[in-house]
Amino acid sequence: MKRALISVSDKTGIVEFAKGLIEAGFEIISTGGTKKTLLDHGLEVIGISDVTGFPEILDGRVKTLHPNVHGGLLARPNDSAHLAQLEEHQIQPIELVCVNLYPFQQTIAKPDVTPEDAIENIDIGGPTMLRSAAKNHEHVTVVVDPADYPGVIAELNENGQVSPAKKRQFAAKVFRHTAGYDAVISEYMTELAGEENPESLTMTFDLKQTLRYGENPHQQASFYKKPLGSAFSIAYAEQLHGKELSYNNINDADAALQIVKEFNEPAAVAVKHMNPCGVGTGDTIAAAFKKAFDADSTSIFGGIIALNREVDLETASMLKDIFLEIIIAPSFTQEAFEILSVKKNIRLLTVSFDSGVKDERKFTSIQGGLLIQDRDTYGFEEATITVPTKRQPTEQEWEDLKLGWKVVKHVKSNAIVVCGEGMTYGVGAGQMNRVGAANIALTQAAEKAKGAALASDAFFPMDDTVEAAAKAGITAIIQPGGSVKDEDSIKKADEYGITMVFTAVRHFKH
């Protein structure tokens, strides 16, 4: 009679699966809680100690790490020497293994988890059995995913065995599963040990969505999420309505979310192609959105909107008349949802703003490698603020400068933002020289530039940006400073009566 070894933490579907195996001619070996579950349902089960001839010891830490188990898993039935050794040592082959592992990820997700609890939930015997069976998958069926149980039983009932192709697929899934399991443990232990730059880096991500295509229709793409990743993210957003997200939607939505999190007051952010085209703040979310829309009513067409307050009826009434790809918010009132969901394709997403932003590093792939850095979370309050010009900012100018500084760090470099009265007036993004970016932002701002503030993500290499700003009517500038020609910019600002603030922090975004 064929043997199946079953040992699972997740008992979903396991009784039905075991019944199907028994009906297909298997006898069941099991351990601990799994054995009890099967016995409680009237199934005949062989205890693991009856196979090993040794009791489970050390509170269950050692029970399956035994030659009678791994010899049965790793022996090749078409190898006469292997069969002779099995007979010599009275080891019976095991033809099927069904194992899932101690819930390490679920354990460390608990807010009050201790290192002792986490370490106790590192599975040793389970991954070892899975790897043994997967290595010998030509002869052993190894199942790690409850979703695969019905397919296994169907093949056994139809063909008397699981096909070689399916066995190989299951083995590949096992190695992905154990690699992912170890990656989560590795990350936890590395953080616990306080190591910032380990000699190697292993990461795992779970498939969230297979995308229709990537940046362009000829590129294939998928969307994966990080286990235990930040709840304040597009990866963990809940989609309430609309067609599935695309590759570009996800990138743009993430950019919008990263900007809107800068604000505590009601704020609205419009994004196109990873850059903000309009940002507004106000006493209400409707007022904030009105400013974001007015900032650039042309570019917002087909854009992504992120709001940091619940979408109410007044805001939804404005949103519904614009062609938008996505609206992201903490929530939607029932009236707002009913108005917006009339549009079949618009995606309505909610994100947990109350969960806070988890401290995660930023990964950027390059051909053949990976760049890793801390996220740019440096805020105005942390900056070393100095005013090198003769004139100090007015109270209103300080507010405008702070708004510009929050936005400019999310604009592709070289970046310039012109703003005032709680909204952006012009955005110059991704230019090869700074004055070029300034000219774009100032041209877009037009007459609104008079009396407005200008923010730059990096220092001015010469005074031409200040000159352009002054001629457009800018009265306040914020920039990092640090150029060898800072004095030229300071003198130019003083010449035009402009107040200029240095932060000593640049915000390059490539």
Side-chain angles (χ1 to χ4, degrees), residues 23 137 142 198 244 252 257 270 279 480:
E23 291 170 3
H137 66 270
V142 56
E244 70 177 30
D252 285 342
L257 201 57
V279 176

Side-chain angles (χ1 to χ4, degrees), residues 185-392:
I185 295 171
S186 170
E187 182 177 2
Y188 176 82
M189 294 299 295
T190 299
E191 290 179 1
L192 195 63
E195 295 188 47
E196 295 184 356
N197 296 293
E199 74 288 346
S200 63
L201 184 69
T202 305
M203 297 181 293
T204 186
F205 296 86
D206 299 325
L207 181 65
K208 179 179 175 71
Q209 182 182 345
T210 299
L211 303 173
R212 288 172 293 155
Y213 53 83
E215 281 184 295
N216 300 289
H218 60 275
Q219 296 170 270
Q220 292 184 341
S222 301
F223 183 22
Y224 287 79
K225 67 179 180 180
K226 188 178 188 295
L228 305 181
S230 175
F232 185 79
S233 70
I234 298 305
Y236 283 86
E238 180 183 359
Q239 184 167 346
L240 305 180
H241 176 76
K243 62 183 181 181
E244 70 177 30
L245 297 170
S246 71
Y247 182 98
N248 293 329
N249 288 157
I250 293 164
N251 263 328
D252 285 342
D254 177 66
L257 201 57
Q258 298 309 312
I259 302 169
V260 83
K261 77 180 182 185
E262 297 279 352
F263 299 92
N264 294 318
E265 67 272 31
V269 174
V271 164
K272 283 287 288 291
H273 304 296
M274 301 286 286
N275 280 304
C277 57
V279 176
T281 62
D283 294 331
T284 66
I285 197 63
F289 173 71
K290 180 68 165 56
K291 289 181 180 180
F293 176 78
D294 289 343
D296 189 343
S297 59
T298 300
S299 297
I300 201 173
F301 183 85
I304 313 292
I305 301 296
L307 308 116
N308 65 355
R309 296 289 191 278
E310 181 176 65
V311 179
D312 55 20
L313 180 60
E314 183 182 0
T315 310
S317 297
M318 291 186 283
L319 289 164
K320 71 178 178 62
D321 295 326
I322 310 165
F323 169 58
L324 299 169
E325 292 280 358
I326 301 175
I327 301 172
I328 311 162
S331 57
F332 297 78
T333 66
Q334 185 60 37
E335 296 89 348
F337 180 79
E338 288 174 0
I339 287 176
L340 294 170
S341 60
V342 169
K343 293 188 172 185
K344 180 180 178 181
N345 292 329
I346 191 170
R347 293 93 163 173
L348 304 179
L349 274 61
T350 58
V351 171
S352 176
F353 279 70
D354 294 333
S355 64
V357 181
K358 190 174 181 180
D359 186 19
E360 294 180 354
R361 305 191 81 187
K362 181 176 175 60
F363 303 101
T364 303
S365 64
I366 62 167
Q367 190 77 26
L370 187 71
L371 289 169
I372 303 176
Q373 66 173 345
D374 295 333
R375 289 191 175 273
D376 185 2
T377 58
Y378 208 97
F380 187 86
E381 294 73 15
E382 301 164 280
T384 303
I385 302 297
T386 57
V387 182
T389 51
K390 294 177 181 178
R391 188 171 74 80
Q392 294 284 320

Side-chain angles (χ1 to χ4, degrees), residues 34-171:
T34 307
K35 176 186 172 185
K36 182 178 184 306
T37 296
L38 298 180
L39 288 173
D40 287 347
H41 284 81
L43 302 185
E44 192 171 330
V45 181
I46 301 169
I48 194 69
S49 296
D50 295 325
V51 174
T52 63
F54 202 91
E56 296 183 22
I57 62 170
L58 307 180
D59 299 318
R61 282 189 167 199
V62 178
K63 50 193 173 189
T64 60
L65 297 170
H66 194 281
N68 284 1
V69 173
H70 290 278
L73 292 174
L74 287 163
R76 298 193 194 97
N78 56 358
D79 186 317
S80 58
H82 282 201
L83 292 177
Q85 290 175 60
L86 291 183
E87 184 175 356
E88 178 186 355
H89 298 289
Q90 297 182 325
I91 298 173
Q92 293 188 46
I94 299 172
E95 288 83 5
L96 186 145
V97 169
C98 176
V99 169
N100 56 57
L101 308 176
Y102 291 173
F104 180 82
Q105 183 173 313
Q106 294 90 324
T107 299
I108 63 172
K110 298 174 183 177
D112 58 347
V113 65
T114 64
E116 292 74 20
D117 288 339
I119 289 168
E120 197 58 34
N121 276 277
I122 296 175
D123 203 329
I124 303 300
T128 307
M129 286 190 291
L130 286 172
R131 289 173 61 84
S132 291
K135 176 176 180 175
N136 201 27
H137 66 270
E138 184 179 351
H139 309 293
V140 180
T141 301
V142 56
V143 187
V144 73
D145 186 351
D148 293 322
Y149 295 169
V152 171
I153 298 302
E155 287 213 23
L156 290 172
N157 289 340
E158 292 171 15
N159 307 313
Q161 61 181 358
V162 177
S163 70
K166 186 60 70 174
K167 285 181 179 178
R168 179 155 290 181
Q169 288 176 16
F170 288 159

